[in-house]
């Protein structure tokens, strides 16, 4: 389920995408990047519901083996707080955003929006979670904000705008 229908997804004020033959994604104004998590989590891996951090094998985070069915945001393999922080950063969605920038693949852009929406729905009222998850949510705020701004450069959605405003406070 998309934040907006594909025909309304692309912001007309910004360049749509680099030509399909481009090797490097264009620099999007306001997008600071993804700390390398975009390269560690290519679109096919994200679609399959697997998430990787530096120095570790990918872990299945999706419910039902597909990330569009939801993510288990409580995961923290081995109690690794850094792993959980990077999961909550949403920077691993950068590969999807970059795929859209390189190829115009609206499915990749839409999937990034679906995961952001899932994160927003699953992580409301963080006081109800254990201390580790609350810390991951709080510490990941600045990274999530950057990722959402990068996504927003291409995807117009009131829910996304509200989340960006909330994260910026």
């Amino acid at each position: 389920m998309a934040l907006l229908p594909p025909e309304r997804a692309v912001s007309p004020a910004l360049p749509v995408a680099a030509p399909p033959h481009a090797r490097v994604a264009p620099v999007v104004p306001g997008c600071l990047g993804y700390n390398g998590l975009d390269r560690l989590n290519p679109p096919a891996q994200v679609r399959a519901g697997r998430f990787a951090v530096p120095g570790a094998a990918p872990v299945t985070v999706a419910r039902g083996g597909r990330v569009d069915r939801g993510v288990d945001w409580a995961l923290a393999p081995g109690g690794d707080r850094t792993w959980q922080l990077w999961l909550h950063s949403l920077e691993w969605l950068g590969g999807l955003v970059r795929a859209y920038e390189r190829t115009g693949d609206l499915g990749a852009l839409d999937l990034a929006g679906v995961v952001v929406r899932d994160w927003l729905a699953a992580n409301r009222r963080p006081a109800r979670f254990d201390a580790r998850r609350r810390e991951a949510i709080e510490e990941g705020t600045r990274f999530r904000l950057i990722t959402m701004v990068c996504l927003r450069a291409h995807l117009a959605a009131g829910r996304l705008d509200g989340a960006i405003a909330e994260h910026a406070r």
Side-chain angles (χ1 to χ4, degrees):
M1 190 180 294
L3 291 172
L4 276 184
E7 65 271 11
R8 294 186 52 210
V10 179
S11 172
L14 295 172
V16 174
H21 62 277
R23 293 182 178 262
V24 178
V27 175
V28 175
C31 185
L32 300 176
Y34 309 100
N35 286 311
L37 288 179
D38 56 322
R39 290 184 301 281
L40 284 172
N41 295 280
Q45 179 174 291
V46 174
R47 282 185 181 98
R50 298 181 56 73
F51 165 66
V53 298
V59 172
T60 298
V61 297
R63 296 192 164 102
R66 288 183 28 197
V67 76
D68 61 348
R69 293 183 180 164
V71 172
D72 183 351
W73 298 105
L75 285 175
D80 186 340
R81 295 165 72 175
T82 301
W83 187 96
Q84 195 172 44
L85 164 66
W86 289 124
L87 177 69
H88 284 269
S89 77
L90 301 182
E91 289 183 307
W92 52 284
L93 301 177
L96 294 170
V97 177
R98 291 212 193 272
Y100 169 76
E101 292 170 347
R102 280 191 317 276
T103 68
D105 178 1
L106 282 173
L109 190 67
D110 183 53
L111 185 58
V114 166
V115 176
V116 168
R117 187 175 61 217
D118 182 65
W119 187 91
L120 293 168
N123 291 288
R124 289 189 184 122
R125 299 182 318 276
R128 64 191 164 115
F129 303 127
D130 65 32
R132 285 185 184 189
R133 184 166 172 184
R134 284 193 316 268
E135 181 180 32
I137 290 168
E138 183 178 323
E139 291 297 317
T141 300
R142 65 183 162 270
F143 303 109
R144 241 183 348 272
L145 176 59
I146 292 167
T147 300
M148 288 189 292
V149 167
C150 294
L151 179 60
R152 178 59 180 89
H154 307 294
L155 184 67
R159 185 176 293 174
L160 184 57
D161 290 342
I164 288 170
E166 186 176 321
H167 276 70
R169 281 187 251 155

